[in-house]
Amino acid sequence: MFRQASRLLSRSVAAGSSKSATARAFSTEVPSTIDSTFVESWKKVAPNMDPPQTPSSFMKPRPSTASSIPTKLTVNFVLPYASELSGKEVDMVIIPATTGQMGVLPGHVPTIAELKPGIMSVHEGTDVKKYFVSSGFAFLHANSVADIIAVEAVPLENIDPSQVQKGLSEFTQKLASAATDLEKAEAQIGVEVHSAMNAALTG
Amino acid sequence: MASSAAVPFWRAAGMTYITYSNICANLVRKCLREPFKAESMNREKVHFSLSKWADGKPEKPVLRSDAPEV
């Protein structure tokens, strides 16, 4: 009880000085020096207790950004039930972001991209491996590591074209006859996913 | 200023991202060739028992088991 009170008390004292520390923008390294003004104010108020730990002191330092752009992109492509690619070094991946097909090369600016149903292709030398991704996210880090997560991703050969056509016509019909907003949205999703699969198979 | 960001159509209709993502995944799974389809349906089966609580006591649990067709 007392412990909490003193911590809260000293936090309000140090709030002015530590605010400058917390207002710092993202840093790619965990600060190895603890905020000294905070520690000093703490010691004045509670000299016999250790200053409280902050979450950053428990964090492992983020991998540092290499000063020169690496030659290969490290891809981690995971699904809920399997790890499709783990730490694979490739030349480029093209991901189906909601903003369009995005090519990712080593040294890409750190990005978080939401994926739409579409083709993801992994380029390694002359090999190109294509997957149809249902939806997900891609996290591109500063150190040329790409984490791509999808709920469902299948190689294009595994898709049945007749089912796709059937689904497309079914959902186009549902979209026309949909009543509520929710039904319309569901039908729209169906149309989008099936058109994307269609385009993937024929394109 | 109307809305600060253009919301996707599914969110405008009251759907969450998880629901959207699951619907997309289900549609893709339905369009697979055999045997991949059977494998994926097996993988995605859900089986749970849900019981609501009233006045600190659990009511009769509801068993929900997923057939391949969600």
Side-chain angles (χ1 to χ4, degrees):
Chain A
M1 262 312 210
F2 177 65
R3 207 183 166 81
Q4 299 278 23
S6 59
R7 190 192 303 174
L8 290 169
L9 198 65
S10 62
R11 193 184 294 161
S12 59
V13 166
S17 57
S18 62
K19 210 176 268 180
S20 54
T22 50
R24 226 178 355 213
F26 314 120
S27 46
T28 44
E29 295 113 24
V30 171
S32 50
T33 54
I34 305 158
D35 186 2
S36 50
T37 40
F38 173 72
V39 172
E40 276 162 24
S41 334
W42 176 271
K43 294 255 185 267
K44 280 192 213 131
V45 180
N48 295 327
M49 286 198 276
D50 288 328
Q53 301 259 39
T54 55
S56 27
S57 64
F58 292 101
M59 263 172 62
K60 283 194 278 241
R62 280 204 218 174
S64 56
T65 315
S67 46
S68 64
I69 298 174
T71 47
K72 293 277 203 192
L73 183 69
T74 315
V75 175
N76 297 316
F77 180 31
V78 291
L79 305 169
Y81 51 86
S83 172
E84 195 61 46
L85 298 171
S86 178
K88 184 150 196 274
E89 304 238 324
V90 298
D91 297 321
M92 175 171 77
V93 290
I94 303 185
I95 56 175
T98 44
T99 50
Q101 296 286 114
M102 186 191 285
V104 182
L105 293 162
H108 197 283
V109 64
T111 313
I112 299 179
E114 186 194 334
L115 304 179
K116 65 176 181 214
I119 303 178
M120 192 191 87
S121 47
V122 178
H123 298 246
E124 167 74 49
T126 45
D127 298 323
V128 179
K129 186 107 196 278
K130 290 194 186 174
Y131 302 89
F132 184 84
V133 164
S134 72
S135 64
F137 284 93
F139 300 91
L140 311 172
H141 302 286
N143 56 352
S144 292
V145 170
D147 294 321
I148 303 170
I149 56 174
V151 179
E152 194 64 57
V154 294
L156 295 180
E157 307 85 56
N158 297 7
I159 303 179
D160 189 352
S162 56
Q163 296 263 27
V164 176
Q165 293 296 348
K166 204 166 62 134
L168 184 56
S169 50
E170 184 193 325
F171 279 99
T172 326
Q173 204 188 23
K174 273 196 199 164
L175 186 56
S177 67
T180 63
D181 256 352
L182 193 59
E183 272 176 42
K184 268 191 219 136
E186 282 178 12
Q188 178 95 28
I189 296 173
V191 169
E192 265 186 28
V193 175
H194 285 98
S195 339
M197 278 197 277
N198 213 3
L201 291 172
T202 54
Chain B
M1 269 213 238
S3 54
S4 53
V7 287
F9 64 90
W10 38 268
R11 196 173 282 285
M15 207 188 281
T16 60
Y17 179 80
I18 284 256
T19 320
Y20 164 71
S21 190
N22 282 335
I23 292 178
C24 288
N26 271 323
L27 293 173
V28 172
R29 264 179 238 131
K30 283 204 200 120
C31 290
L32 293 178
R33 282 191 221 272
E34 297 292 343
F36 305 106
K37 192 170 184 177
E39 276 172 17
S40 65
M41 290 313 179
N42 260 336
R43 187 170 58 216
E44 300 298 333
K45 277 199 182 133
V46 168
H47 178 94
F48 62 90
S49 152
L50 176 77
S51 47
K52 297 202 180 172
W53 287 63
D55 294 330
K57 284 204 188 70
E59 294 175 354
K60 187 165 187 319
V62 172
L63 191 67
R64 306 284 275 284
S65 190
D66 228 15
E69 292 298 314
V70 174

